[in-house]
Amino acid sequence: PGALALLGLAAYADEAPAVTTSHSTLLYATETASEDGEIETLASHKVASAGARFTWKIDDLPAGDYLVFVQYALDSGSVRVDVGAGRSDLSARLYVTPRVYPATGEWYQRSFAREQLPGILEVPRGSTGEAELSLRIAPTSSGNPVALRALELLPSAATGDADAEIMRAGAARPDTGWFAELGYGLMFHWTSQAAPRSGPVADYAAAVDAFDVSRFVGMVASTGADYVIFTTNHAEPHFPAPLAGWEKTHPGRTTERDLIRELADGLSDHGIVLMLYFATHIYADLENAGKEQFVDANVRLLTEVGERYGDDVAGYWLDGWYQAAEKYGDLPYERVYRAAKSGNPDRLLALNSWIYPLVSPWQDYWAGEVYSVPVAPSARIVESGPGAGLQYHALLALEGGWVHTERDTAIPAPVLETGDLLAFIDAASGKGPVTLNVLVYQDGSIGDASMRVLETIREHRDRME
């Protein structure tokens, strides 16, 4: 238990692992064989408003004994659930999931958690080899809807192996103390779609050539930000540097100018840390690639980037992982984790699973895509909810969007209240950094109203020091 606590995981004796591992089988709510009840699909989960029944049929699930988990969100009250497989049945009452977001009622701000049901589910040996499982959700005591992400099955015989994987992942993590001490940083979705203040959107390579690094770095420095998360690719698989392997995989998508190197050098002169955002589902072609192709692209491309920039890039923020987990099932997350450390074993990694429970323990900090001002963290290591077990981090969208794509349109004013931002940054101080995604024009500049907010944050932090 002491070792587990040091790794930021809840100490337990005979309980199941604290996070999903590669030994689990996940039955997603979006992939049921049948459904009954008042059910709505939102993103990658289902919402049952007044009780529901979900059924899955699985060809390759071995017969045997399983521990069962439910990945769900519930805002108030409690709910009874029953999981059945043949003549075996488990019943339990689920309660309000830990609050990450304020009680706004917005569907995208539900706080998902992973809860183990008591007992063992016996999956029978069927003559056809097909197993049928069901999940019944009774109407909630409060009348509030239940959001269901997945039903998760872990073979009882694999609990030791799952524990060992969690321990290995925890032991592999570098120190995140320096990251926790950073106050706040900025993310810029400067992409092939970023629009200028006026006129047509320039070709990506031309925009990279024209990017004024000195002016951009000066702007960032004036905000007092401690770090920058810069987007390498988003809707298209570009990378703003001459990477041979990336060019071979995505012909015509790299550039002669190494913008990442220049940004790393320029920001470093001001003591500002550089981290990189990747749209994994785009550069690894989630839509079309098979599982091996997807993994291979991740390993090759992350290795190439890591070896090129070494210690000059301190972290990665990888998008699209709840989608990848849902499509491919079990993935060799440790291979991706090791590739992300190429050139810098202390580089931090986050696999974005958005509002859903973590897809794997093989990561170092919570991606924390909370979008608007969330509930302040209580500790450096997330204790419960979507990021349980990882170093805390929050990512907010200052203007309510991620990419400025509207031609001949000014970047809108921030939608987040400055006072709320200041209070949240103060409350998170020492526990984990707060990243603000700031909309950016194609020339690397930002909106005037946004700049005023960032300057206010800098002035506030200066007074607090």
Side-chain angles (χ1 to χ4, degrees):
L4 288 172
L6 287 173
L7 297 176
L9 302 171
Y12 58 89
D14 297 324
E15 298 177 11
V19 296
T20 299
T21 70
S22 60
H23 302 276
S24 294
T25 296
L26 277 82
L27 310 179
Y28 291 100
T30 53
E31 298 178 346
T32 57
S34 63
E35 300 173 0
D36 293 305
E38 187 178 338
I39 299 169
E40 182 181 12
T41 301
L42 295 170
S44 284
H45 63 268
K46 301 272 188 170
V47 178
S49 298
R53 183 177 188 274
F54 300 88
T55 302
W56 295 267
K57 293 184 178 180
I58 316 160
D59 293 327
D60 55 356
L61 184 69
D65 295 342
Y66 288 84
L67 281 69
V68 178
F69 304 80
V70 179
Q71 296 187 5
Y72 76 104
L74 181 62
D75 290 338
S76 66
S78 63
V79 62
R80 177 187 173 86
V81 295
D82 298 278
V83 176
R87 296 180 179 178
S88 182
D89 193 83
L90 295 182
S91 298
R93 183 161 290 277
L94 301 179
Y95 297 90
V96 173
T97 46
R99 183 150 304 285
V100 175
Y101 307 92
T104 64
E106 297 286 356
W107 71 268
Y108 56 85
Q109 290 186 324
R110 289 193 169 97
S111 299
F112 280 77
R114 175 181 181 267
E115 187 71 24
Q116 183 184 356
L117 304 186
I120 297 294
L121 185 70
E122 300 175 12
V123 175
R125 292 171 172 80
S127 58
T128 63
E130 182 181 70
E132 180 172 308
L133 289 95
S134 64
L135 171 65
R136 301 175 189 84
I137 301 177
T140 61
S141 60
S142 61
N144 281 347
V146 181
L148 176 67
R149 167 64 174 157
L151 185 67
E152 180 181 341
L153 306 175
L154 174 66
S156 297
T159 54
D161 293 335
D163 289 347
E165 181 182 358
I166 292 173
M167 293 294 290
R168 274 201 332 276
R173 290 175 194 149
D175 174 39
T176 60
W178 65 269
F179 188 56
E181 292 301 320
L182 298 181
Y184 97 110
L186 306 176
M187 175 184 273
F188 297 97
H189 274 67
W190 190 84
T191 77
S192 57
Q193 296 180 322
R197 292 175 183 266
S198 61
V201 177
D203 173 77
Y204 182 74
V208 170
D209 286 341
F211 194 94
D212 190 332
V213 170
S214 178
R215 185 178 66 174
F216 177 81
V217 168
M219 178 270 292
V220 172
S222 71
T223 69
D226 296 309
Y227 61 96
V228 165
I229 303 178
F230 195 82
T231 295
T232 61
N233 75 291
H234 192 241
E236 298 177 298
H238 290 285
F239 194 96
L243 300 181
W246 197 291
E247 176 65 24
K248 183 176 180 180
T249 303
H250 299 293
R253 302 289 191 165
T254 61
T255 61
E256 293 184 10
R257 183 185 187 186
D258 192 338
L259 183 59
I260 299 302
R261 169 62 62 198
E262 293 185 34
L263 286 172
D265 291 343
L267 292 168
S268 178
D269 289 343
H270 292 268
I272 300 170
V273 174
L274 176 63
M275 303 172 72
L276 299 179
Y277 165 103
F278 296 84
T280 311
H281 47 310
I282 302 300
Y283 75 63
D285 196 16
L286 176 68
E287 183 175 348
N288 302 302
K291 179 178 175 179
E292 292 304 317
Q293 291 174 300
F294 179 82
V295 174
D296 177 65
N298 272 286
V299 171
R300 284 188 299 100
L301 300 181
L302 291 177
T303 297
E304 181 178 31
V305 173
E307 290 179 347
R308 184 179 185 90
Y309 299 110
D311 294 345
D312 293 331
V313 172
Y316 293 159
W317 198 101
L318 271 56
D319 210 353
W321 283 88
Y322 74 85
Q323 300 97 319
E326 190 168 343
K327 177 175 180 177
Y328 298 115
D330 177 30
L331 283 165
Y333 292 101
E334 184 175 357
R335 282 188 61 198
V336 176
Y337 184 84
R338 303 295 181 188
K341 306 294 177 165
S342 297
N344 180 1
D346 293 328
R347 183 180 297 120
L348 303 185
L349 174 67
L351 304 177
N352 185 30
S353 51
W354 190 32
I355 59 178
Y356 305 123
L358 300 176
V359 296
S360 170
W362 289 103
Q363 50 188 312
D364 303 311
Y365 70 101
W366 184 36
E369 185 188 335
V370 294
Y371 190 73
S372 56
V373 179
V375 173
S378 58
R380 230 188 81 186
I381 303 302
V382 181
E383 297 176 332
S384 58
L390 294 182
Q391 165 66 55
Y392 184 80
H393 162 255
L395 170 61
L396 290 66
L398 181 62
E399 302 93 349
W402 300 109
V403 187
H404 176 64
T405 60
E406 297 296 324
R407 289 178 50 185
D408 301 316
T409 302
I411 287 174
V415 297
L416 303 182
E417 292 293 335
T418 304
D420 292 342
L421 284 176
L422 296 178
F424 178 65
I425 292 172
D426 287 348
S429 178
K431 301 182 182 73
V434 178
T435 302
L436 301 180
N437 184 81
V438 180
L439 296 180
V440 60
Y441 292 112
Q442 193 170 42
D443 67 356
S445 61
I446 65 175
D448 295 339
S450 301
M451 189 66 203
R452 287 193 292 272
V453 171
L454 301 181
E455 289 173 340
T456 300
I457 294 174
R458 182 205 66 213
E459 293 166 358
H460 172 78
R461 295 181 70 214
D462 288 345
R463 289 193 299 271
M464 297 294 291
E465 291 180 354

